[in-house]
Amino acid sequence: MEALEFGFMQRALLASTIIAAVAPLVGSFIVQRRQALIGEGMGHVAFAGVGLAFLTGLDPLLGALALTLLAAVALVRLSRGSAGGDVSLALVFYGGLAAGYLFSARGGGGQNQILSLLFGSPLNLTWGQVATVAALATAVALALAFLYRQLVALAFDEAAARASGVPTTGLVMALTVLVALVVVAGMSTIGLLLISAMMVIPVATAAHIATSYRATLWLSSAIGAVSAAAGTLVSYHANVPTGSAIVLTALALYIGAAVTHAAARYLARRRHVRPGRPVDLVPDD
Amino acid sequence: MSPSPATADSVVPLEFDHVSFGYNGQIVIRDVSLQVRQGTFVAMVGANGSGKSTLVRLALGLLRPSQGRVRLFDTDTAAFRQWWRVGYVPQRAAADSTLPISVDEVVRTGLAGQLHPGRRATRHHRQRIEHVLEVMGLTGLRRRRIDELSGGQQQRALIARALVTEPSLLILDEPTTGVDADARAVLRDSLEHLVAVENVAVVYVSHDPQTFAGLATCVVELRAGTLHILGPPAHVAGSA
């Protein structure tokens, strides 16, 4: 394949595939907890971190990492304190967006540079940046494997998990930090505003097919990786932005799975309901 | 108030000792004292808003009393660490899941508080999982998505989750809401077995006395946050 002969394409493919494979693993837990938009908000905060880095001369990745980790702690404390979950999300995220634009404007961040962070520019990655993405993604995957049982309990029923002795507040904090790490790892490849889509869309796609939580995790990870690889190649051949191509590929897979699932259910119902045959509205034990 | 005679050396699984609790200055629970001993079945009734769910949350350590003490196995809930000794069965609505989760996985989440992160389930844990699935009649359904099961089957999965750690105290909060008659019968048989054979202490919260008639050792009622002992379940069923 011609595209793979170029170093920039190899780096783009590798980095986007790695992060798009790990993002749904974290996403599975936030979707189950009905916090699908938390990644989007973290992207806003990371934007503030990047703006702060422009202002102070720091590495944008370090600025984004510092501020998102701070936001993760603040978010959990706020949501468990006087402010409700929705309000605390809004406070942290709108603050992040406003501060990000302010810092960037004052720090002299060029419009192209800001846009590339918001929507991704994997074709400009160095091997060092690819290694950073891989290291962050590996750390996230290992943390998820370590906390897997407790995270499933938390995501399925927080009250029961807490009653059975699971330290839920600490676990929610850990999960929010993992979301922050995925956002930071994905900012240069898929973009701060689009990486959260890869935490949600592949999970929603897998949920149409899988029959268990574990299968949903593995399948969503595979869907994320395939979307990233296909989207990156499409962006090369069609000359379109890579982050957008990756997310739209994932969306196309979701639509395909949803339509197939709906058709299968329709056919199954038709097979069971025949004229003149009584229908059990309430299934028996 | 003590639903069963005390013995000098017996550990009390659950004790409310002059407990009061309020939200935003409004008293919800008033000076409640109650002991639930091993092998007893305490049914708790009360109208909506009477404070039943608050009392359950106090028992589970999810709330701290404003006054008095809540003890689990003679330890204040604030200092209690052996949460695996307490099983909790919420209303069936807790089985609503955005993502697919199998019955087997739901039951395994019951071990999350007992097993440290990164630790694998031991052979004993795996045997226990098999046992509770079998007792609850879920062995053949273990690979099925929980949201594809009937209300009664979902409730049985939540009970199996609560039993997987072999608790000595089981707290059930409106467990039969939205559950069909067959599943209620299975639940009754299971609870009878747990109390009579395995000496488990059961706290059963329900607004419907019919669901525990013939099972309860003692029936208590919460009225505006105050606890009243009503007596044997037949009396309650008759007055309902």
Side-chain angles (χ1 to χ4, degrees):
Chain A
M1 196 177 284
E2 178 205 339
L4 296 179
E5 291 171 8
F6 301 107
F8 69 88
M9 277 302 291
Q10 293 166 5
R11 291 191 289 276
L13 264 173
L14 196 59
S16 58
T17 306
I18 289 171
I19 194 61
V22 170
L25 297 178
V26 177
S28 299
F29 298 103
I30 61 172
V31 168
Q32 175 64 21
R33 282 174 53 75
R34 297 180 171 87
Q35 291 187 320
L37 293 178
I38 194 173
E40 183 71 30
M42 276 295 172
H44 293 177
V45 176
F47 178 45
V50 171
L52 195 62
F54 286 150
L55 201 62
T56 57
L58 272 173
D59 185 324
L61 190 114
L62 282 180
L65 195 60
L67 237 60
T68 48
L69 292 181
L70 211 62
V73 176
L75 193 61
V76 176
R77 289 202 175 272
L78 276 171
S79 63
R80 308 226 152 194
S82 54
D86 280 357
V87 174
S88 55
L89 273 172
L91 289 174
V92 171
F93 300 159
Y94 293 138
L97 191 61
Y101 194 56
L102 181 87
F103 291 155
S104 300
R106 296 284 294 182
Q111 203 166 9
N112 284 343
Q113 200 171 5
I114 292 171
L115 279 176
S116 71
L117 286 168
L118 290 178
F119 298 102
S121 61
L123 303 181
N124 296 325
L125 290 175
T126 63
W127 279 116
Q129 287 172 314
V130 175
T132 304
V133 170
L136 284 170
T138 305
V140 169
L142 288 175
L144 287 175
F146 185 67
L147 297 171
Y148 177 76
R149 190 188 305 277
Q150 283 71 24
L151 283 171
V152 175
L154 172 83
F156 179 63
D157 185 350
E158 182 170 352
R162 199 170 154 200
S164 70
V166 174
T168 51
T169 302
L171 213 54
V172 170
M173 185 81 79
L175 183 59
T176 314
V177 165
L178 293 177
V179 171
L181 290 179
V182 168
V183 168
V184 172
M187 75 178 186
S188 52
T189 49
I190 299 170
L192 289 173
L193 294 184
L194 291 177
I195 182 63
S196 63
M198 298 309 290
M199 284 194 247
V200 176
I201 298 172
V203 177
T205 310
H208 281 303
I209 304 162
T211 55
S212 71
Y213 209 88
R214 190 176 286 271
T216 305
L217 252 73
W218 287 117
L219 191 58
S220 62
S221 178
I223 291 167
V226 167
S227 303
T232 306
L233 290 172
V234 167
S235 80
Y236 172 81
H237 289 291
N239 194 24
V240 292
T242 313
S244 300
I246 291 171
V247 172
L248 289 174
T249 304
L251 203 57
L253 290 175
Y254 170 79
I255 292 167
V259 169
T260 308
H261 182 69
R265 287 185 67 170
Y266 174 74
L267 290 173
R269 265 204 306 272
R270 280 197 62 173
R271 269 201 297 274
H272 283 96
V273 183
R274 294 193 183 104
R277 186 179 164 189
V279 180
D280 289 332
L281 293 177
V282 180
D284 292 325
D285 258 3
Chain B
M1 296 175 201
S2 178
S4 67
T7 55
D9 58 345
S10 64
V11 173
V12 180
L14 173 62
E15 181 180 13
F16 293 92
D17 183 6
H18 296 286
V19 170
S20 295
F21 180 81
Y23 294 103
N24 302 322
Q26 190 180 351
I27 300 293
V28 180
I29 300 294
R30 293 168 198 274
D31 195 29
V32 165
S33 290
L34 173 74
Q35 285 189 347
V36 181
R37 297 184 176 277
Q38 291 289 5
T40 61
F41 185 120
V42 176
M44 189 182 293
V45 294
N48 283 341
S50 59
K52 300 193 299 290
S53 293
T54 302
L55 213 56
V56 167
R57 293 177 73 79
L58 284 162
L60 295 171
L62 301 176
L63 296 172
R64 299 265 179 266
S66 322
Q67 284 178 16
R69 305 186 96 179
V70 182
R71 295 189 193 89
L72 289 165
F73 301 94
D74 295 348
T75 304
D76 195 287
T77 50
F80 188 70
R81 294 291 174 265
Q82 297 175 320
W83 288 104
W84 54 268
R85 299 178 75 181
V86 182
Y88 168 54
V89 182
Q91 291 188 24
R92 186 175 60 83
D96 287 345
S97 182
T98 311
L99 298 182
I101 184 164
S102 68
V103 170
D104 191 72
E105 289 174 316
V106 168
V107 174
R108 283 170 187 272
T109 62
L111 294 169
Q114 194 176 19
L115 282 170
H116 291 294
R119 289 275 178 87
R120 296 176 71 86
T122 63
R123 191 171 157 193
H124 172 72
H125 290 127
R126 288 194 293 274
Q127 285 172 343
R128 185 70 194 165
I129 290 165
E130 297 301 327
H131 175 69
V132 294
L133 285 170
E134 191 182 329
V135 167
M136 286 294 136
L138 294 167
T139 305
L141 301 171
R142 63 187 304 167
R143 305 282 174 223
R144 294 274 301 278
R145 287 171 61 148
I146 193 165
D147 57 355
E148 290 177 346
L149 303 185
S150 71
Q153 289 165 337
Q154 289 183 5
Q155 191 61 55
R156 272 150 52 191
L158 296 183
I159 296 168
R161 176 184 66 176
L163 294 179
V164 76
T165 56
E166 296 178 79
S168 303
L169 169 66
L170 187 61
I171 299 173
L172 303 98
D173 189 3
E174 302 278 5
T176 54
T177 304
V179 170
D180 54 60
D182 288 349
R184 287 183 191 191
V186 171
L187 177 60
R188 280 182 66 89
D189 292 347
S190 307
L191 292 176
E192 199 166 19
H193 171 83
L194 286 171
V195 174
V197 180
E198 300 194 27
N199 206 31
V200 171
V202 172
V203 176
Y204 188 103
V205 178
S206 176
H207 64 276
D208 179 9
Q210 294 298 335
T211 60
F212 54 76
L215 281 177
T217 319
C218 176
V219 181
V220 297
E221 181 181 14
L222 268 173
R223 289 183 216 139
T226 309
L227 198 71
H228 303 268
I229 290 191
L230 295 185
H235 169 77
V236 181
S239 64

